[in-house]
Amino acid sequence: MPLWLIEQAPRAASKSAVRHALLRDAGIPVEVAPADIDERAIEQRADTSDAGDIAALLAREKARAIATRLPGRLVLGADQTLR
């Protein structure tokens, strides 16, 4: 029995092949819809320099960018930063 039981696959607001493979291997089908955002500009406007906070902010902005184009669809945003 597949893990994902909803008819529509979620959209991944990410270009990461590793993330897509992790979701697929976990039994979650995913449609790729990379967000076209200016990550550096978002980082510069952020009022934090904490790597975890920046990653969460970027993930949220990616998901928002795709969700505005696809209302009613589940959108997954993710990001990571290196220290």
Side-chain angles (χ1 to χ4, degrees), residues 39-67:
E39 294 185 28
R40 301 301 77 84
I42 292 168
E43 288 176 10
Q44 289 174 354
R45 288 192 309 264
D47 36 325
T48 183
S49 60
D50 179 77
D53 290 343
I54 296 292
L57 175 63
L58 291 172
R60 186 171 46 248
E61 292 303 315
K62 288 177 181 182
R64 281 184 180 158
I66 299 304

Side-chain angles (χ1 to χ4, degrees), residues 11-71:
R11 293 284 179 126
S14 170
K15 297 176 193 171
S16 171
V18 172
R19 268 191 210 96
H20 302 154
L22 286 170
L23 290 165
R24 183 190 64 239
D25 292 350
I28 301 171
V30 66
E31 295 174 6
V32 179
D36 184 22
I37 63 171
D38 185 346
E39 294 185 28
R40 301 301 77 84
I42 292 168
E43 288 176 10
Q44 289 174 354
R45 288 192 309 264
D47 36 325
T48 183
S49 60
D50 179 77
D53 290 343
I54 296 292
L57 175 63
L58 291 172
R60 186 171 46 248
E61 292 303 315
K62 288 177 181 182
R64 281 184 180 158
I66 299 304
T68 59
R69 294 193 326 237
L70 302 167

Side-chain angles (χ1 to χ4, degrees), residues 1-6 24 26-29:
M1 173 178 232
L3 177 64
W4 190 257
L5 302 177
I6 298 172
R24 183 190 64 239
I28 301 171

